[in-house]
Amino acid sequence: QVQLVESGGGLVQAGGSLRLSCAASGSMFSINAMGWYRQAPGKQRELVARMTSGGSTNYADSVKGRFTISRDNAKNTGYLQMNSLKPEDTAVYYCNAAIRHRGVFSTYEKDYWGQGTQVTVSS
């Protein structure tokens, strides 16, 4: 099994910045695609940013120019740098990763989610 643990959320004023981290732990695995999603009260979970293993990225229109996704494969950790935060960015942010497992008898891919971290932006 692989566990994803997010950190870095908190309370900031509008215009401030936060950096979220997503650390993957386990054995005999590698991260394929990874991304960040968020869910505000009463709304559906939405894609914020995504990065493939090759470095290709996609961003929601609402965060382009403000958020940056990155990853450190040596540390099995993904990041989301959030600048110029707005009150509308308030939500629970979730890390998602497609993990490739290499077992003794098989190789397979499985999707994982972190537990979520709260981001609150005050006006």
Side-chain angles (χ1 to χ4, degrees):
Q1 291 186 322
V2 169
Q3 291 184 331
L4 303 180
V5 180
E6 300 106 328
S7 62
L11 173 64
V12 298
Q13 293 185 330
S17 298
L18 284 174
R19 189 194 192 203
L20 305 183
S21 298
C22 175
S25 62
S27 63
M28 301 182 70
F29 76 94
S30 61
I31 302 175
N32 192 1
M34 64 86 62
W36 292 90
Y37 294 73
R38 68 185 181 187
Q39 187 167 23
K43 295 185 177 181
Q44 297 184 89
R45 187 173 299 186
E46 65 174 349
L47 174 67
V48 176
R50 180 177 178 272
M51 175 178 281
T52 68
S53 60
S56 178
T57 59
N58 291 98
Y59 295 92
D61 288 342
S62 60
V63 307
K64 284 184 177 179
R66 299 188 297 122
F67 291 9
T68 302
I69 188 171
S70 62
R71 61 195 291 176
D72 186 335
N73 290 328
K75 296 181 178 180
N76 286 324
T77 301
Y79 305 94
L80 183 68
Q81 179 66 47
M82 305 186 294
N83 299 325
S84 301
L85 284 163
K86 304 174 181 179
E88 64 194 65
D89 294 318
T90 296
V92 177
Y93 284 70
Y94 298 89
C95 176
N96 171 259
I99 303 295
R100 177 164 293 180
H101 293 265
R102 288 195 171 273
V104 176
F105 301 108
S106 64
T107 298
Y108 59 96
E109 193 168 280
K110 187 176 180 180
D111 196 56
Y112 290 87
W113 289 90
Q115 82 288 346
T117 184
Q118 178 70 48
V119 172
T120 302
V121 184
S122 63
S123 60

